[in-house]
PDB file of all heavy atoms in Angstrom:
ATOM      1  N   PHE A 952     -21.811  33.464   2.626  1.00  0.00           N
ATOM      2  CA  PHE A 952     -22.169  34.219   3.824  1.00  0.00           C
ATOM      3  C   PHE A 952     -21.762  35.688   3.649  1.00  0.00           C
ATOM      4  O   PHE A 952     -20.573  35.997   3.563  1.00  0.00           O
ATOM      5  CB  PHE A 952     -21.474  33.634   5.055  1.00  0.00           C
ATOM      6  CG  PHE A 952     -21.729  32.167   5.260  1.00  0.00           C
ATOM      7  CD1 PHE A 952     -20.724  31.238   5.035  1.00  0.00           C
ATOM      8  CD2 PHE A 952     -22.979  31.713   5.640  1.00  0.00           C
ATOM      9  CE1 PHE A 952     -20.944  29.894   5.211  1.00  0.00           C
ATOM     10  CE2 PHE A 952     -23.218  30.352   5.823  1.00  0.00           C
ATOM     11  CZ  PHE A 952     -22.199  29.444   5.599  1.00  0.00           C
ATOM     12  N   PRO A 953     -22.702  36.598   3.598  1.00  0.00           N
ATOM     13  CA  PRO A 953     -22.391  38.004   3.320  1.00  0.00           C
ATOM     14  C   PRO A 953     -21.383  38.623   4.280  1.00  0.00           C
ATOM     15  O   PRO A 953     -20.599  39.484   3.878  1.00  0.00           O
ATOM     16  CB  PRO A 953     -23.754  38.690   3.448  1.00  0.00           C
ATOM     17  CG  PRO A 953     -24.751  37.617   3.194  1.00  0.00           C
ATOM     18  CD  PRO A 953     -24.151  36.357   3.728  1.00  0.00           C
ATOM     19  N   ALA A 954     -21.372  38.195   5.535  1.00  0.00           N
ATOM     20  CA  ALA A 954     -20.504  38.823   6.531  1.00  0.00           C
ATOM     21  C   ALA A 954     -19.107  38.207   6.584  1.00  0.00           C
ATOM     22  O   ALA A 954     -18.236  38.724   7.288  1.00  0.00           O
ATOM     23  CB  ALA A 954     -21.145  38.715   7.920  1.00  0.00           C
ATOM     24  N   PHE A 955     -18.877  37.139   5.828  1.00  0.00           N
ATOM     25  CA  PHE A 955     -17.632  36.397   6.003  1.00  0.00           C
ATOM     26  C   PHE A 955     -16.403  37.211   5.620  1.00  0.00           C
ATOM     27  O   PHE A 955     -15.355  37.113   6.261  1.00  0.00           O
ATOM     28  CB  PHE A 955     -17.674  35.096   5.197  1.00  0.00           C
ATOM     29  CG  PHE A 955     -16.501  34.188   5.461  1.00  0.00           C
ATOM     30  CD1 PHE A 955     -16.426  33.469   6.639  1.00  0.00           C
ATOM     31  CD2 PHE A 955     -15.475  34.054   4.532  1.00  0.00           C
ATOM     32  CE1 PHE A 955     -15.354  32.634   6.899  1.00  0.00           C
ATOM     33  CE2 PHE A 955     -14.390  33.213   4.776  1.00  0.00           C
ATOM     34  CZ  PHE A 955     -14.333  32.502   5.969  1.00  0.00           C
ATOM     35  N   ALA A 956     -16.487  38.015   4.583  1.00  0.00           N
ATOM     36  CA  ALA A 956     -15.324  38.811   4.166  1.00  0.00           C
ATOM     37  C   ALA A 956     -14.886  39.748   5.285  1.00  0.00           C
ATOM     38  O   ALA A 956     -13.689  39.867   5.576  1.00  0.00           O
ATOM     39  CB  ALA A 956     -15.654  39.602   2.899  1.00  0.00           C
ATOM     40  N   ALA A 957     -15.840  40.423   5.923  1.00  0.00           N
ATOM     41  CA  ALA A 957     -15.500  41.326   7.026  1.00  0.00           C
ATOM     42  C   ALA A 957     -14.960  40.544   8.218  1.00  0.00           C
ATOM     43  O   ALA A 957     -14.043  41.017   8.917  1.00  0.00           O
ATOM     44  CB  ALA A 957     -16.729  42.140   7.435  1.00  0.00           C
ATOM     45  N   GLU A 958     -15.500  39.364   8.455  1.00  0.00           N
ATOM     46  CA  GLU A 958     -15.033  38.545   9.578  1.00  0.00           C
ATOM     47  C   GLU A 958     -13.596  38.081   9.374  1.00  0.00           C
ATOM     48  O   GLU A 958     -12.790  38.076  10.313  1.00  0.00           O
ATOM     49  CB  GLU A 958     -15.978  37.360   9.762  1.00  0.00           C
ATOM     50  CG  GLU A 958     -17.361  37.771  10.239  1.00  0.00           C
ATOM     51  CD  GLU A 958     -18.419  36.697  10.025  1.00  0.00           C
ATOM     52  OE1 GLU A 958     -18.108  35.646   9.415  1.00  0.00           O
ATOM     53  OE2 GLU A 958     -19.574  36.915  10.454  1.00  0.00           O
ATOM     54  N   THR A 959     -13.261  37.685   8.158  1.00  0.00           N
ATOM     55  CA  THR A 959     -11.886  37.251   7.898  1.00  0.00           C
ATOM     56  C   THR A 959     -10.916  38.424   7.972  1.00  0.00           C
ATOM     57  O   THR A 959      -9.771  38.262   8.422  1.00  0.00           O
ATOM     58  CB  THR A 959     -11.767  36.563   6.530  1.00  0.00           C
ATOM     59  OG1 THR A 959     -12.293  37.424   5.504  1.00  0.00           O
ATOM     60  CG2 THR A 959     -12.526  35.251   6.515  1.00  0.00           C
ATOM     61  N   ARG A 960     -11.349  39.614   7.544  1.00  0.00           N
ATOM     62  CA  ARG A 960     -10.484  40.791   7.678  1.00  0.00           C
ATOM     63  C   ARG A 960     -10.213  41.094   9.152  1.00  0.00           C
ATOM     64  O   ARG A 960      -9.083  41.430   9.534  1.00  0.00           O
ATOM     65  CB  ARG A 960     -11.109  42.003   6.990  1.00  0.00           C
ATOM     66  CG  ARG A 960     -11.039  41.955   5.471  1.00  0.00           C
ATOM     67  CD  ARG A 960     -11.352  43.313   4.868  1.00  0.00           C
ATOM     68  NE  ARG A 960     -12.701  43.752   5.157  1.00  0.00           N
ATOM     69  CZ  ARG A 960     -13.757  43.504   4.375  1.00  0.00           C
ATOM     70  NH1 ARG A 960     -13.595  42.818   3.252  1.00  0.00           N
ATOM     71  NH2 ARG A 960     -14.960  43.960   4.691  1.00  0.00           N
ATOM     72  N   ALA A 961     -11.242  40.969   9.982  1.00  0.00           N
ATOM     73  CA  ALA A 961     -11.058  41.206  11.423  1.00  0.00           C
ATOM     74  C   ALA A 961     -10.096  40.182  12.013  1.00  0.00           C
ATOM     75  O   ALA A 961      -9.232  40.518  12.838  1.00  0.00           O
ATOM     76  CB  ALA A 961     -12.409  41.140  12.138  1.00  0.00           C
ATOM     77  N   PHE A 962     -10.218  38.934  11.587  1.00  0.00           N
ATOM     78  CA  PHE A 962      -9.295  37.905  12.073  1.00  0.00           C
ATOM     79  C   PHE A 962      -7.863  38.209  11.645  1.00  0.00           C
ATOM     80  O   PHE A 962      -6.925  38.112  12.450  1.00  0.00           O
ATOM     81  CB  PHE A 962      -9.721  36.532  11.541  1.00  0.00           C
ATOM     82  CG  PHE A 962      -8.750  35.431  11.897  1.00  0.00           C
ATOM     83  CD1 PHE A 962      -8.809  34.815  13.136  1.00  0.00           C
ATOM     84  CD2 PHE A 962      -7.776  35.013  10.997  1.00  0.00           C
ATOM     85  CE1 PHE A 962      -7.904  33.810  13.478  1.00  0.00           C
ATOM     86  CE2 PHE A 962      -6.876  34.016  11.322  1.00  0.00           C
ATOM     87  CZ  PHE A 962      -6.941  33.410  12.567  1.00  0.00           C
ATOM     88  N   GLN A 963      -7.669  38.595  10.385  1.00  0.00           N
ATOM     89  CA  GLN A 963      -6.323  38.869   9.886  1.00  0.00           C
ATOM     90  C   GLN A 963      -5.706  40.073  10.591  1.00  0.00           C
ATOM     91  O   GLN A 963      -4.496  40.073  10.880  1.00  0.00           O
ATOM     92  CB  GLN A 963      -6.361  39.095   8.370  1.00  0.00           C
ATOM     93  CG  GLN A 963      -6.655  37.839   7.559  1.00  0.00           C
ATOM     94  CD  GLN A 963      -5.587  36.773   7.719  1.00  0.00           C
ATOM     95  OE1 GLN A 963      -4.421  37.072   7.979  1.00  0.00           O
ATOM     96  NE2 GLN A 963      -5.975  35.519   7.554  1.00  0.00           N
ATOM     97  N   ARG A 964      -6.490  41.100  10.866  1.00  0.00           N
ATOM     98  CA  ARG A 964      -5.960  42.250  11.603  1.00  0.00           C
ATOM     99  C   ARG A 964      -5.515  41.835  13.005  1.00  0.00           C
ATOM    100  O   ARG A 964      -4.453  42.263  13.488  1.00  0.00           O
ATOM    101  CB  ARG A 964      -7.020  43.358  11.691  1.00  0.00           C
ATOM    102  CG  ARG A 964      -7.257  44.115  10.398  1.00  0.00           C
ATOM    103  CD  ARG A 964      -8.036  45.389  10.659  1.00  0.00           C
ATOM    104  NE  ARG A 964      -9.344  45.121  11.242  1.00  0.00           N
ATOM    105  CZ  ARG A 964     -10.465  44.969  10.538  1.00  0.00           C
ATOM    106  NH1 ARG A 964     -10.422  45.045   9.206  1.00  0.00           N
ATOM    107  NH2 ARG A 964     -11.619  44.745  11.135  1.00  0.00           N
ATOM    108  N   THR A 965      -6.323  41.020  13.657  1.00  0.00           N
ATOM    109  CA  THR A 965      -5.983  40.560  15.002  1.00  0.00           C
ATOM    110  C   THR A 965      -4.745  39.677  14.971  1.00  0.00           C
ATOM    111  O   THR A 965      -3.861  39.795  15.829  1.00  0.00           O
ATOM    112  CB  THR A 965      -7.167  39.781  15.600  1.00  0.00           C
ATOM    113  OG1 THR A 965      -8.341  40.594  15.562  1.00  0.00           O
ATOM    114  CG2 THR A 965      -6.899  39.387  17.039  1.00  0.00           C
ATOM    115  N   LEU A 966      -4.683  38.792  13.986  1.00  0.00           N
ATOM    116  CA  LEU A 966      -3.516  37.916  13.854  1.00  0.00           C
ATOM    117  C   LEU A 966      -2.246  38.727  13.641  1.00  0.00           C
ATOM    118  O   LEU A 966      -1.189  38.438  14.244  1.00  0.00           O
ATOM    119  CB  LEU A 966      -3.742  36.950  12.681  1.00  0.00           C
ATOM    120  CG  LEU A 966      -2.601  35.988  12.360  1.00  0.00           C
ATOM    121  CD1 LEU A 966      -2.367  35.027  13.518  1.00  0.00           C
ATOM    122  CD2 LEU A 966      -2.910  35.215  11.071  1.00  0.00           C
ATOM    123  N   LYS A 967      -2.318  39.737  12.787  1.00  0.00           N
ATOM    124  CA  LYS A 967      -1.154  40.574  12.517  1.00  0.00           C
ATOM    125  C   LYS A 967      -0.697  41.283  13.795  1.00  0.00           C
ATOM    126  O   LYS A 967       0.517  41.371  14.067  1.00  0.00           O
ATOM    127  CB  LYS A 967      -1.506  41.596  11.437  1.00  0.00           C
ATOM    128  CG  LYS A 967      -0.346  42.479  11.012  1.00  0.00           C
ATOM    129  CD  LYS A 967      -0.757  43.415   9.882  1.00  0.00           C
ATOM    130  CE  LYS A 967       0.400  44.309   9.449  1.00  0.00           C
ATOM    131  NZ  LYS A 967      -0.009  45.217   8.330  1.00  0.00           N
ATOM    132  N   SER A 968      -1.639  41.781  14.579  1.00  0.00           N
ATOM    133  CA  SER A 968      -1.287  42.474  15.822  1.00  0.00           C
ATOM    134  C   SER A 968      -0.665  41.503  16.820  1.00  0.00           C
ATOM    135  O   SER A 968       0.331  41.842  17.489  1.00  0.00           O
ATOM    136  CB  SER A 968      -2.535  43.120  16.436  1.00  0.00           C
ATOM    137  OG  SER A 968      -3.052  44.117  15.584  1.00  0.00           O
ATOM    138  N   ARG A 969      -1.223  40.315  16.939  1.00  0.00           N
ATOM    139  CA  ARG A 969      -0.646  39.331  17.869  1.00  0.00           C
ATOM    140  C   ARG A 969       0.757  38.929  17.443  1.00  0.00           C
ATOM    141  O   ARG A 969       1.672  38.815  18.277  1.00  0.00           O
ATOM    142  CB  ARG A 969      -1.539  38.099  17.959  1.00  0.00           C
ATOM    143  CG  ARG A 969      -1.068  37.091  19.018  1.00  0.00           C
ATOM    144  CD  ARG A 969      -1.989  35.894  19.115  1.00  0.00           C
ATOM    145  NE  ARG A 969      -1.700  35.090  20.292  1.00  0.00           N
ATOM    146  CZ  ARG A 969      -0.849  34.065  20.316  1.00  0.00           C
ATOM    147  NH1 ARG A 969      -0.186  33.735  19.207  1.00  0.00           N
ATOM    148  NH2 ARG A 969      -0.643  33.379  21.431  1.00  0.00           N
ATOM    149  N   ASN A 970       0.954  38.716  16.158  1.00  0.00           N
ATOM    150  CA  ASN A 970       2.282  38.331  15.674  1.00  0.00           C
ATOM    151  C   ASN A 970       3.311  39.434  15.930  1.00  0.00           C
ATOM    152  O   ASN A 970       4.480  39.152  16.225  1.00  0.00           O
ATOM    153  CB  ASN A 970       2.224  38.000  14.186  1.00  0.00           C
ATOM    154  CG  ASN A 970       1.585  36.653  13.911  1.00  0.00           C
ATOM    155  OD1 ASN A 970       1.428  35.828  14.811  1.00  0.00           O
ATOM    156  ND2 ASN A 970       1.199  36.424  12.670  1.00  0.00           N
ATOM    157  N   ARG A 971       2.883  40.682  15.807  1.00  0.00           N
ATOM    158  CA  ARG A 971       3.804  41.780  16.092  1.00  0.00           C
ATOM    159  C   ARG A 971       4.240  41.751  17.555  1.00  0.00           C
ATOM    160  O   ARG A 971       5.429  41.935  17.867  1.00  0.00           O
ATOM    161  CB  ARG A 971       3.142  43.112  15.760  1.00  0.00           C
ATOM    162  CG  ARG A 971       4.099  44.293  15.895  1.00  0.00           C
ATOM    163  CD  ARG A 971       3.422  45.635  15.646  1.00  0.00           C
ATOM    164  NE  ARG A 971       2.433  45.948  16.652  1.00  0.00           N
ATOM    165  CZ  ARG A 971       1.134  45.943  16.466  1.00  0.00           C
ATOM    166  NH1 ARG A 971       0.628  45.628  15.288  1.00  0.00           N
ATOM    167  NH2 ARG A 971       0.299  46.241  17.444  1.00  0.00           N
ATOM    168  N   LEU A 972       3.294  41.513  18.450  1.00  0.00           N
ATOM    169  CA  LEU A 972       3.638  41.436  19.876  1.00  0.00           C
ATOM    170  C   LEU A 972       4.560  40.259  20.158  1.00  0.00           C
ATOM    171  O   LEU A 972       5.466  40.358  20.998  1.00  0.00           O
ATOM    172  CB  LEU A 972       2.364  41.326  20.714  1.00  0.00           C
ATOM    173  CG  LEU A 972       1.446  42.547  20.736  1.00  0.00           C
ATOM    174  CD1 LEU A 972       0.196  42.252  21.550  1.00  0.00           C
ATOM    175  CD2 LEU A 972       2.175  43.763  21.297  1.00  0.00           C
ATOM    176  N   LEU A 973       4.325  39.149  19.470  1.00  0.00           N
ATOM    177  CA  LEU A 973       5.190  37.982  19.669  1.00  0.00           C
ATOM    178  C   LEU A 973       6.624  38.296  19.256  1.00  0.00           C
ATOM    179  O   LEU A 973       7.580  37.935  19.956  1.00  0.00           O
ATOM    180  CB  LEU A 973       4.659  36.794  18.862  1.00  0.00           C
ATOM    181  CG  LEU A 973       3.331  36.176  19.321  1.00  0.00           C
ATOM    182  CD1 LEU A 973       2.845  35.157  18.300  1.00  0.00           C
ATOM    183  CD2 LEU A 973       3.478  35.526  20.698  1.00  0.00           C
ATOM    184  N   LYS A 974       6.790  38.958  18.131  1.00  0.00           N
ATOM    185  CA  LYS A 974       8.133  39.298  17.657  1.00  0.00           C
ATOM    186  C   LYS A 974       8.811  40.301  18.579  1.00  0.00           C
ATOM    187  O   LYS A 974      10.034  40.266  18.766  1.00  0.00           O
ATOM    188  CB  LYS A 974       8.052  39.847  16.237  1.00  0.00           C
ATOM    189  CG  LYS A 974       7.653  38.810  15.203  1.00  0.00           C
ATOM    190  CD  LYS A 974       7.500  39.423  13.814  1.00  0.00           C
ATOM    191  CE  LYS A 974       7.067  38.368  12.807  1.00  0.00           C
ATOM    192  NZ  LYS A 974       6.853  38.951  11.452  1.00  0.00           N
ATOM    193  N   GLU A 975       8.017  41.198  19.150  1.00  0.00           N
ATOM    194  CA  GLU A 975       8.568  42.202  20.061  1.00  0.00           C
ATOM    195  C   GLU A 975       8.724  41.667  21.479  1.00  0.00           C
ATOM    196  O   GLU A 975       9.274  42.354  22.341  1.00  0.00           O
ATOM    197  CB  GLU A 975       7.658  43.432  20.090  1.00  0.00           C
ATOM    198  CG  GLU A 975       7.566  44.170  18.763  1.00  0.00           C
ATOM    199  CD  GLU A 975       6.523  45.268  18.773  1.00  0.00           C
ATOM    200  OE1 GLU A 975       5.748  45.341  19.760  1.00  0.00           O
ATOM    201  OE2 GLU A 975       6.470  46.041  17.805  1.00  0.00           O
ATOM    202  N   ARG A 976       8.229  40.430  21.707  1.00  0.00           N
ATOM    203  CA  ARG A 976       8.234  39.826  23.048  1.00  0.00           C
ATOM    204  C   ARG A 976       7.567  40.762  24.063  1.00  0.00           C
ATOM    205  O   ARG A 976       8.035  40.958  25.183  1.00  0.00           O
ATOM    206  CB  ARG A 976       9.654  39.475  23.481  1.00  0.00           C
ATOM    207  CG  ARG A 976      10.289  38.386  22.627  1.00  0.00           C
ATOM    208  CD  ARG A 976      11.697  38.078  23.047  1.00  0.00           C
ATOM    209  NE  ARG A 976      12.228  36.950  22.283  1.00  0.00           N
ATOM    210  CZ  ARG A 976      12.172  35.676  22.656  1.00  0.00           C
ATOM    211  NH1 ARG A 976      11.602  35.372  23.822  1.00  0.00           N
ATOM    212  NH2 ARG A 976      12.672  34.717  21.891  1.00  0.00           N
ATOM    213  N   SER A 977       6.454  41.330  23.619  1.00  0.00           N
ATOM    214  CA  SER A 977       5.662  42.221  24.457  1.00  0.00           C
ATOM    215  C   SER A 977       4.446  41.451  24.952  1.00  0.00           C
ATOM    216  O   SER A 977       3.494  41.219  24.210  1.00  0.00           O
ATOM    217  CB  SER A 977       5.228  43.454  23.647  1.00  0.00           C
ATOM    218  OG  SER A 977       4.402  44.283  24.408  1.00  0.00           O
ATOM    219  N   PHE A 978       4.486  41.044  26.211  1.00  0.00           N
ATOM    220  CA  PHE A 978       3.485  40.108  26.717  1.00  0.00           C
ATOM    221  C   PHE A 978       2.287  40.774  27.401  1.00  0.00           C
ATOM    222  O   PHE A 978       1.291  40.121  27.664  1.00  0.00           O
ATOM    223  CB  PHE A 978       4.146  39.146  27.717  1.00  0.00           C
ATOM    224  CG  PHE A 978       5.370  38.468  27.163  1.00  0.00           C
ATOM    225  CD1 PHE A 978       6.609  38.662  27.745  1.00  0.00           C
ATOM    226  CD2 PHE A 978       5.274  37.652  26.055  1.00  0.00           C
ATOM    227  CE1 PHE A 978       7.735  38.045  27.227  1.00  0.00           C
ATOM    228  CE2 PHE A 978       6.394  37.026  25.535  1.00  0.00           C
ATOM    229  CZ  PHE A 978       7.632  37.230  26.121  1.00  0.00           C
ATOM    230  N   ALA A 979       2.387  42.051  27.675  1.00  0.00           N
ATOM    231  CA  ALA A 979       1.358  42.709  28.482  1.00  0.00           C
ATOM    232  C   ALA A 979      -0.027  42.640  27.842  1.00  0.00           C
ATOM    233  O   ALA A 979      -1.031  42.473  28.536  1.00  0.00           O
ATOM    234  CB  ALA A 979       1.750  44.171  28.728  1.00  0.00           C
ATOM    235  N   GLN A 980      -0.093  42.753  26.496  1.00  0.00           N
ATOM    236  CA  GLN A 980      -1.388  42.802  25.825  1.00  0.00           C
ATOM    237  C   GLN A 980      -1.760  41.488  25.138  1.00  0.00           C
ATOM    238  O   GLN A 980      -2.796  41.418  24.485  1.00  0.00           O
ATOM    239  CB  GLN A 980      -1.376  43.915  24.781  1.00  0.00           C
ATOM    240  CG  GLN A 980      -1.113  45.296  25.348  1.00  0.00           C
ATOM    241  CD  GLN A 980      -1.112  46.350  24.259  1.00  0.00           C
ATOM    242  OE1 GLN A 980      -1.962  46.348  23.375  1.00  0.00           O
ATOM    243  NE2 GLN A 980      -0.160  47.265  24.311  1.00  0.00           N
ATOM    244  N   LEU A 981      -0.923  40.486  25.280  1.00  0.00           N
ATOM    245  CA  LEU A 981      -1.189  39.235  24.556  1.00  0.00           C
ATOM    246  C   LEU A 981      -2.520  38.607  24.948  1.00  0.00           C
ATOM    247  O   LEU A 981      -3.220  38.053  24.094  1.00  0.00           O
ATOM    248  CB  LEU A 981      -0.059  38.235  24.799  1.00  0.00           C
ATOM    249  CG  LEU A 981       1.073  38.221  23.777  1.00  0.00           C
ATOM    250  CD1 LEU A 981       2.116  37.185  24.151  1.00  0.00           C
ATOM    251  CD2 LEU A 981       0.533  37.949  22.373  1.00  0.00           C
ATOM    252  N   GLU A 982      -2.878  38.690  26.198  1.00  0.00           N
ATOM    253  CA  GLU A 982      -4.128  38.063  26.643  1.00  0.00           C
ATOM    254  C   GLU A 982      -5.337  38.650  25.918  1.00  0.00           C
ATOM    255  O   GLU A 982      -6.249  37.924  25.512  1.00  0.00           O
ATOM    256  CB  GLU A 982      -4.284  38.229  28.148  1.00  0.00           C
ATOM    257  CG  GLU A 982      -5.518  37.507  28.693  1.00  0.00           C
ATOM    258  CD  GLU A 982      -5.608  37.588  30.215  1.00  0.00           C
ATOM    259  OE1 GLU A 982      -4.588  37.936  30.852  1.00  0.00           O
ATOM    260  OE2 GLU A 982      -6.685  37.292  30.748  1.00  0.00           O
ATOM    261  N   VAL A 983      -5.313  39.983  25.731  1.00  0.00           N
ATOM    262  CA  VAL A 983      -6.425  40.643  25.031  1.00  0.00           C
ATOM    263  C   VAL A 983      -6.497  40.161  23.594  1.00  0.00           C
ATOM    264  O   VAL A 983      -7.580  39.846  23.079  1.00  0.00           O
ATOM    265  CB  VAL A 983      -6.251  42.170  25.082  1.00  0.00           C
ATOM    266  CG1 VAL A 983      -7.329  42.851  24.225  1.00  0.00           C
ATOM    267  CG2 VAL A 983      -6.311  42.663  26.509  1.00  0.00           C
ATOM    268  N   TRP A 984      -5.340  40.094  22.926  1.00  0.00           N
ATOM    269  CA  TRP A 984      -5.319  39.652  21.533  1.00  0.00           C
ATOM    270  C   TRP A 984      -5.647  38.168  21.408  1.00  0.00           C
ATOM    271  O   TRP A 984      -6.241  37.741  20.415  1.00  0.00           O
ATOM    272  CB  TRP A 984      -3.973  39.971  20.900  1.00  0.00           C
ATOM    273  CG  TRP A 984      -3.760  41.440  20.704  1.00  0.00           C
ATOM    274  CD1 TRP A 984      -2.879  42.243  21.370  1.00  0.00           C
ATOM    275  CD2 TRP A 984      -4.473  42.290  19.809  1.00  0.00           C
ATOM    276  NE1 TRP A 984      -3.006  43.545  20.943  1.00  0.00           N
ATOM    277  CE2 TRP A 984      -3.974  43.603  19.980  1.00  0.00           C
ATOM    278  CE3 TRP A 984      -5.491  42.084  18.892  1.00  0.00           C
ATOM    279  CZ2 TRP A 984      -4.452  44.690  19.258  1.00  0.00           C
ATOM    280  CZ3 TRP A 984      -5.968  43.168  18.162  1.00  0.00           C
ATOM    281  CH2 TRP A 984      -5.460  44.446  18.352  1.00  0.00           C
ATOM    282  N   ASN A 985      -5.273  37.363  22.398  1.00  0.00           N
ATOM    283  CA  ASN A 985      -5.646  35.952  22.388  1.00  0.00           C
ATOM    284  C   ASN A 985      -7.162  35.794  22.377  1.00  0.00           C
ATOM    285  O   ASN A 985      -7.719  34.982  21.623  1.00  0.00           O
ATOM    286  CB  ASN A 985      -5.072  35.231  23.608  1.00  0.00           C
ATOM    287  CG  ASN A 985      -3.576  34.995  23.504  1.00  0.00           C
ATOM    288  OD1 ASN A 985      -2.980  35.233  22.454  1.00  0.00           O
ATOM    289  ND2 ASN A 985      -2.980  34.527  24.589  1.00  0.00           N
ATOM    290  N   GLU A 986      -7.825  36.575  23.221  1.00  0.00           N
ATOM    291  CA  GLU A 986      -9.291  36.475  23.302  1.00  0.00           C
ATOM    292  C   GLU A 986      -9.946  36.912  22.001  1.00  0.00           C
ATOM    293  O   GLU A 986     -10.899  36.274  21.522  1.00  0.00           O
ATOM    294  CB  GLU A 986      -9.787  37.326  24.473  1.00  0.00           C
ATOM    295  CG  GLU A 986      -9.380  36.791  25.838  1.00  0.00           C
ATOM    296  CD  GLU A 986      -9.809  37.705  26.974  1.00  0.00           C
ATOM    297  OE1 GLU A 986     -10.353  38.794  26.684  1.00  0.00           O
ATOM    298  OE2 GLU A 986      -9.597  37.334  28.145  1.00  0.00           O
ATOM    299  N   SER A 987      -9.441  37.985  21.414  1.00  0.00           N
ATOM    300  CA  SER A 987     -10.002  38.463  20.150  1.00  0.00           C
ATOM    301  C   SER A 987      -9.752  37.460  19.028  1.00  0.00           C
ATOM    302  O   SER A 987     -10.648  37.170  18.223  1.00  0.00           O
ATOM    303  CB  SER A 987      -9.392  39.819  19.798  1.00  0.00           C
ATOM    304  OG  SER A 987      -9.920  40.306  18.580  1.00  0.00           O
ATOM    305  N   LEU A 988      -8.539  36.915  18.976  1.00  0.00           N
ATOM    306  CA  LEU A 988      -8.218  35.944  17.936  1.00  0.00           C
ATOM    307  C   LEU A 988      -9.069  34.690  18.083  1.00  0.00           C
ATOM    308  O   LEU A 988      -9.533  34.121  17.083  1.00  0.00           O
ATOM    309  CB  LEU A 988      -6.731  35.579  18.004  1.00  0.00           C
ATOM    310  CG  LEU A 988      -6.169  34.863  16.775  1.00  0.00           C
ATOM    311  CD1 LEU A 988      -6.109  35.812  15.581  1.00  0.00           C
ATOM    312  CD2 LEU A 988      -4.781  34.305  17.064  1.00  0.00           C
ATOM    313  N   ALA A 989      -9.294  34.253  19.307  1.00  0.00           N
ATOM    314  CA  ALA A 989     -10.121  33.068  19.540  1.00  0.00           C
ATOM    315  C   ALA A 989     -11.562  33.314  19.108  1.00  0.00           C
ATOM    316  O   ALA A 989     -12.213  32.435  18.517  1.00  0.00           O
ATOM    317  CB  ALA A 989     -10.066  32.672  21.014  1.00  0.00           C
ATOM    318  N   ARG A 990     -12.062  34.507  19.372  1.00  0.00           N
ATOM    319  CA  ARG A 990     -13.450  34.828  19.002  1.00  0.00           C
ATOM    320  C   ARG A 990     -13.627  34.833  17.488  1.00  0.00           C
ATOM    321  O   ARG A 990     -14.539  34.206  16.955  1.00  0.00           O
ATOM    322  CB  ARG A 990     -13.837  36.182  19.590  1.00  0.00           C
ATOM    323  CG  ARG A 990     -15.287  36.563  19.313  1.00  0.00           C
ATOM    324  CD  ARG A 990     -15.673  37.831  20.042  1.00  0.00           C
ATOM    325  NE  ARG A 990     -14.993  39.005  19.512  1.00  0.00           N
ATOM    326  CZ  ARG A 990     -14.007  39.636  20.114  1.00  0.00           C
ATOM    327  NH1 ARG A 990     -13.544  39.208  21.275  1.00  0.00           N
ATOM    328  NH2 ARG A 990     -13.438  40.709  19.567  1.00  0.00           N
TER     329      ARG A 990
END
């Protein structure tokens, strides 16, 4: 699938951002990152 590499990069960027918020216990933006990670 030609688009898969870009899709996995987008997932990894989102995952990294969510994990950073989890470590910082910063909950305000978690909902936004949850939706992006799920997509």
Side-chain angles (χ1 to χ4, degrees):
F952 305 108
F955 187 75
E958 292 162 355
T959 54
R960 286 194 297 269
F962 175 83
Q963 290 297 332
R964 286 194 299 268
T965 305
L966 178 64
K967 183 177 180 179
S968 296
R969 186 178 192 269
N970 285 345
R971 186 183 66 252
L972 293 177
L973 291 171
K974 291 176 181 178
E975 296 172 351
R976 294 179 175 268
S977 177
F978 307 118
Q980 300 180 43
L981 267 180
E982 184 176 345
V983 174
W984 291 111
N985 286 352
E986 292 176 356
S987 180
L988 195 69
R990 183 174 69 254

